[in-house]
Amino acid sequence: MDQPRAAARLRILLGQLGRCSAGAVIAHPISESVSSAGFHPQQFQYTQDNSVLTLQQRKFYEENGFLVIKKLVSDADIERFRNEFERICRKEVKPMGLMVMRDVTIAKSEYVPSEKMITKVQDFQEDEELFRYCTLPEILKYVECFTGPNIMAMHTMLINKPPDSGKKTSRHPLHQDLHYFPFRPSNNIVCAWTAMEHIDRNNGCLVVLPGTHKGSLKPHDYPQWQGAVNIMFHGIQDYDENNTRVHLVMEKGDTVFFHPLLIHGSGRNKTQGFRKAISCHFASANCHYIDVKGTSQENIEKEVVRFANELFKVKQDINLKVCLYEMTREKSCFFFLFRCLKILIPDSI
């Protein structure tokens, strides 16, 4: 990718130039055993015309809704993200707007500042070190294949899946990420999800249902599991259990890009270690907001608003659509869920 084009894209993300363009990166589809049926170029609807993806890779994503690129993020970058996460866990840094999540089985009385207590940090856009992930040229190079050149980073996470407590709370039910996003079109949204270490079925790798991105957004709610479920871990209430499942075994630095309608989840961590991954959802700057009232997404909107009212003591009604729109007028990127509510909260909080 030429430098002026990359620079323009980074200005959209950060308002300033980032790093220089990435060098050549070898890309591979995840598996030849998953369908990559034939396509004519005019049939492509989930990928953009550019020279980054091979024809085979475009066919694979079009048919399956995901694509793994091997060794995309360097070991050095992974270690920097890991070190910053550990600093956050020790409370050495406290980025504004960051949401720190703990497993539902961890009592507040047991909490001590360490990675053993934190299962996820969300909305790390104000942490310059972690937000570097969203600006890596090697990531953006592929993101553009799905969103086009005008890119917005909209939701960030570093996931620290803990060893399961025995109550299976470390698993994540099958879901579609679009359930959490009040904007469209879905075909211009993509998630970049990078393994920070070896990930397999033992420590709770991602599982995807190939081809389900071609369907519609399904109703989500808390799964009917015995025991507790982590907050906002909604799952699809009705899906075809006969669908093919693919477990994504990944190495450190491998990155999977997937469509927001792709049904996916993850199993419990049966090891004694912590399974880490870093991710960001990106969207085209041309995406538009929708009102989720009266749709299957209304339940998650109500939960987010209720949580925000409790957390920030907001006494006025919050409309996520208006809130997000106002945020993007001031910033060059989306920040969904809790970060989007900051516009209604005094800067001193």
Side-chain angles (χ1 to χ4, degrees), residues 118-232:
I118 295 177
T119 59
K120 183 189 297 184
V121 293
Q122 291 193 125
D123 306 317
F124 55 64
Q125 66 281 343
E126 301 297 339
D127 185 297
E128 292 185 6
E129 186 66 8
L130 291 183
F131 194 69
R132 286 181 55 258
Y133 174 78
C134 305
T135 69
L136 290 175
E138 51 267 42
I139 291 289
L140 295 176
K141 172 180 179 178
Y142 285 97
V143 169
E144 185 175 349
C145 299
F146 311 103
T147 65
N150 295 332
I151 303 169
M152 298 189 288
M154 59 187 200
H155 183 222
T156 53
M157 291 191 299
L158 193 152
I159 304 159
N160 185 47
K161 186 188 282 283
D164 196 86
S165 64
K167 298 183 178 181
K168 300 182 180 180
T169 53
S170 66
R171 59 183 170 170
H172 199 301
L174 290 172
H175 64 283
Q176 296 164 298
D177 288 342
L178 193 66
H179 173 64
Y180 298 93
F181 301 147
F183 37 84
R184 303 291 188 273
S186 60
N187 288 353
N188 294 136
I189 303 170
V190 72
C191 179
W193 193 100
T194 299
M196 295 177 65
E197 56 206 301
H198 174 80
I199 295 177
D200 58 25
R201 296 186 68 171
N202 286 326
N203 60 4
C205 65
L206 288 181
V207 58
V208 300
L209 277 58
T212 51
H213 66 300
K214 300 176 186 177
S216 59
L217 179 61
K218 298 181 180 296
H220 289 60
D221 212 327
Y222 285 104
Q224 302 302 307
W225 291 343
Q226 291 184 344
V229 180
N230 282 305
I231 184 172
M232 296 187 193

Side-chain angles (χ1 to χ4, degrees), residues 1 5 15 23 40 77 85 106 121 143 162 179 182 211 225-226 236 242 262 265-266 272 292 319 340-341 349:
M1 181 179 300
R5 191 176 181 189
H40 298 293
D77 280 326
F85 174 70
I106 300 175
V121 293
V143 169
H179 173 64
W225 291 343
Q226 291 184 344
I236 292 174
N242 294 320
L262 182 74
S266 64
Q272 295 304 305
V292 301
N319 182 300
C340 72
L341 300 169
I349 296 180

Side-chain angles (χ1 to χ4, degrees), residues 61-122:
Y61 189 89
E62 292 280 332
E63 181 66 16
N64 299 291
F66 70 98
L67 181 72
V68 172
I69 307 300
K70 306 295 290 183
K71 287 294 181 182
L72 185 61
V73 179
S74 71
D75 287 354
D77 280 326
I78 296 293
E79 288 309 303
R80 288 181 62 173
F81 301 145
R82 182 183 293 273
N83 291 338
E84 183 68 1
F85 174 70
E86 291 174 355
R87 292 181 67 214
I88 291 172
C89 292
R90 295 192 298 265
K91 296 187 175 182
E92 294 175 7
V93 292
K94 298 179 180 180
M96 182 180 296
L98 187 79
M99 293 304 302
V100 177
M101 315 296 285
R102 298 197 295 270
D103 190 273
V104 68
T105 60
I106 300 175
K108 290 184 178 180
S109 60
E110 299 174 0
Y111 181 74
V112 292
S114 74
E115 73 165 354
K116 294 182 179 180
M117 297 294 111
I118 295 177
T119 59
K120 183 189 297 184
V121 293
Q122 291 193 125

